[in-house]
Amino acid sequence: MEFLGNIGLGFSVALSLTNIFYCFLGALLGTLVGVIPGLGVLAAISMLFPLTFHLEPTTALIMLAGIWYGTTYGGSTASILLNLPGTPANAVTCLDGYPMAKQGRGGVALFMTTVASFFGASFGIILLTLFTPVIAEYALRFGSAEYFALMLMGLVAASTISEGSAIKGLAMVVLGIIIGLVGMDTQSATIRFSFGVLGLLEGVSLIALAMGIFGVAEIIMSVRRVKTADIDPETLKLSAIKPTRDDVRRSWFPMLRGASMGSFFGTLPGTGPSIAAFLSYAVEKRISKTPERFGKGAIEGIMAPEAANNAADQTAFIPTLSLGVPGSATMALMLGVLMIHGVAPGPNLISSQPELFWGLIMSFWVGNVILLLLNIPLIGVWVRMLTIPYHILFPSVLMFICIGAYTSGFSTLNIWMVTAFGTLGYLMRIFRFPGAPLLLGFVLGPLMEEHFRRAMVLSRGDFMTFFDRPISATIMALTGLVLIWSIWSSETVRKRRAPPEGEVALARDATDA
Amino acid sequence: MYRFDYTDLVGGMLLFFVGAGVSLVSIGNYPLGTLPRMGPGMFPAILGVVLAALGVSLALQALRRTGSRPDIRFFSPLFVLGGVTAFALTIVPFGLIPAIVAIVVISSLAELRIRPVSLVLLCLALCLMAPLVFVVGLGLPIPLIRWPF
């Protein structure tokens, strides 16, 4: 009965007029950001975050979460019509979606991916509702040693599993933690690394960091490279979106398998929507009786990944909300937003802020229904967004970034920080250092230091405390395995360089989600 | 193609210098404390060493393989970052509208071609939209135009 009461509480929060409005706004903006290539979800969330300053934390989070899952819905549009993934999580959808569009079945593909997205998201939300409270209750007995071990595992997994060099990922995590330490040390009131700048006492602004590294740097890389789209208006006629009976029959099991795999990989640190989508495509191709149809417009090839990435979008909230340990950069940003609004994340969140927790989760239903309604009739409108020329888009985005940075605190220091992190982000692109681990380290850094120090105090300086306690020892062992595996696999990758064409582009930027 | 992967070589060396710098600053300026009672310098000092070590191993790996030319551009970062800087310099003394014009005009130069008509229209549209969203809609106290002299 308590469970039903919680669900009821959640719906009463999520269905208030204000929250429905901001949920709608978030989903709408998310779809927009997802459709337009060259504008990432991290940049979008940090850019729009200043708009939520004056809102209740619950409402703010509902809107920002709407942006997050909205992008995945919208991202498939660019994948299908342009062969250009709107977000990394939609990259696999290009493989069969674009051939479908070329065969004049683009409308069908857009319609069916929306259905798959909704199916995957629903699957994810149900798991999220069932498991988050259970995990949080279990986590209540965790001490500082366990938390430090969990965060360490999250950071190591997030920086090594997904793509590129493990060393670069780890280095960026460490750099992120160091940037996170700037400012006043909470335990000794010592001011660290502020170089005499008074405004840095409170630390580096999360928003300026995310906007610089993911917004400004992305723009620098995209100027004069992003070409405006050329779309065949014939594919967009509404009559062309009706799937055949064969399409529907072929879609059921791929959707179910995709949603299950997506839910699983969404909860793990380091994997996320991109990897879930990629693996579920591989599975469908392997178990299919007609694998030769894949890559030529097989409907299974778009249904499974789109169900997987949307399920993963939702289940990514499980570790973030139950443990306070985010598994990806976007979740780290959500956690940072919570903390800026003065809400302490962790296993106590559900019991101390039931309105926030249940309201947020139930708002996912509202948001996904809104997205379903937005996407199907408005496909034509979204596609028109693709034709906005980049030379109009990027100065507008820069302007929003600057105003957002300035209004979060009304100090020009935040704009200077955007310039500094834009420069850093551009340098990182040149040296091919990934940005997502840096953001993750930045958010988790201060928490890690706190737990590390506390664990050391409790054990009187004995490092073995991390290995004596059974839960923390297990997590540390897993972390070790991930490290060994990543070093081993990077060695084997180097031995057989030159992966098959097409997969290079997919693997690139896979962590950006 | 180069004989070594110079991109990673330089990147690794930069990481090493940053890490070493962080450690030296922490050890020199902040109390380290002991392990049971860690001071504010201990954690960053450890992290600096880890970063430096990662930098060295990246640089060593780079010596074992060939590399391609890094993708370095000059004008895009110059104008984009220049636009943001111009906004930071103008927003307080001159107000919102001049700052918007400054960032839009300067960052548009990153395209390396000027479209006068579309640029003027874009400036007009954004100068109308931004005050509507931020000043009227959200009620943020930003002066639209100011003359400091």
Side-chain angles (χ1 to χ4, degrees), chain A residues 133-149:
Chain A
V134 183
I135 297 173
E137 200 165 303
Y138 183 72
L140 280 176
R141 64 186 104 155
F142 284 9
S144 279
E146 280 80 20
Y147 271 110
F148 178 79

Side-chain angles (χ1 to χ4, degrees), chain A residues 51 54 168 188 190-193 220-221 223-225 391 394 402 416 426 431 449 453 456-457 494, chain B residues 7-8 26 30 35-36 39-40 43 47 51 61 64 71 73 85 87-88 103 107 110-112 115 138:
Chain A
L51 300 182
H54 64 294
K168 288 182 178 176
S188 63
T190 311
I191 297 151
R192 293 183 286 188
F193 306 112
I220 295 175
M221 295 307 286
V223 170
R224 285 190 289 132
R225 294 221 176 127
H391 65 87
F394 84 86
C402 285
W416 292 115
Y426 180 60
F431 291 112
E449 187 190 18
R453 278 179 171 182
M456 282 293 118
V457 170
R494 195 174 313 131
Chain B
T7 318
D8 279 7
S26 315
Y30 315 121
L35 267 182
F43 201 62
L47 288 175
L51 188 62
Q61 279 190 353
R64 282 167 40 200
D71 178 19
R73 312 170 85 190
T85 310
F87 187 95
I103 190 172
S107 66
E111 283 275 319
L112 296 186
R115 304 178 174 83
L138 294 175

Side-chain angles (χ1 to χ4, degrees), chain A residues 287-463:
Chain A
I287 64 173
S288 170
K289 290 196 191 82
T290 50
E292 66 280 359
R293 285 171 50 248
F294 279 77
K296 294 175 191 145
I299 188 117
E300 298 95 317
I302 58 172
M303 297 307 274
E306 283 300 313
N309 58 27
N310 281 279
D313 274 358
Q314 305 294 345
T315 54
F317 279 97
I318 294 180
T320 315
L321 293 175
S322 66
L323 305 172
V325 179
S328 69
T330 321
M331 285 301 123
L333 199 57
M334 293 278 173
L335 202 75
V337 167
L338 264 183
M339 294 196 278
I340 291 174
H341 274 285
V343 179
N348 288 317
L349 178 80
I350 301 177
S351 48
S352 65
Q353 305 263 355
E355 291 90 2
L356 188 148
F357 175 77
W358 292 104
L360 178 65
I361 291 191
M362 291 308 136
S363 84
F364 294 167
W365 286 113
V366 179
N368 277 287
V369 170
I370 290 173
L371 282 166
L372 195 63
L373 298 178
L374 273 180
N375 269 276
I376 294 178
L378 294 181
I379 283 171
V381 178
W382 299 126
V383 172
R384 205 126 313 137
M385 291 293 161
L386 285 171
T387 56
I388 297 180
Y390 199 68
H391 65 87
I392 303 252
L393 196 66
F394 84 86
S396 322
V397 171
L398 277 176
M399 180 204 77
F400 269 101
I401 287 179
C402 285
I403 299 181
Y406 176 65
T407 52
S408 62
F410 290 97
S411 103
T412 45
L413 178 68
N414 280 340
I415 315 179
W416 292 115
M417 278 200 249
V418 170
T419 319
F421 286 112
T423 315
L424 176 68
Y426 180 60
L427 285 176
M428 284 163 58
R429 302 282 171 125
I430 292 178
F431 291 112
R432 293 192 286 269
F433 290 143
L438 186 129
L439 180 63
L440 210 52
F442 175 76
V443 173
L444 286 183
L447 294 170
M448 275 182 90
E449 187 190 18
E450 203 185 311
H451 284 299
F452 186 67
R453 278 179 171 182
R454 207 178 294 156
M456 282 293 118
V457 170
L458 291 175
S459 71
R460 297 190 189 80
D462 185 4
F463 275 116

Side-chain angles (χ1 to χ4, degrees), chain A residues 116-127:
Chain A
S117 301
F118 185 75
F119 180 86
S122 308
F123 199 90
I125 301 171
I126 294 172
L127 291 180

Side-chain angles (χ1 to χ4, degrees), chain B residues 49-86:
Chain B
V49 172
V50 174
L51 188 62
L54 287 168
V56 168
S57 53
L58 184 67
L60 287 180
Q61 279 190 353
L63 292 176
R64 282 167 40 200
R65 60 178 174 235
T66 57
S68 50
R69 211 168 163 276
D71 178 19
I72 300 178
R73 312 170 85 190
F74 181 68
F75 286 108
S76 307
L78 182 76
F79 288 119
V80 170
L81 294 170
V84 178
T85 310

Side-chain angles (χ1 to χ4, degrees), chain A residues 82 94 103 264 372 423 457 491:
Chain A
L82 298 180
C94 294
Q103 294 156 18
F264 177 69
L372 195 63
T423 315
V457 170
E491 285 295 317

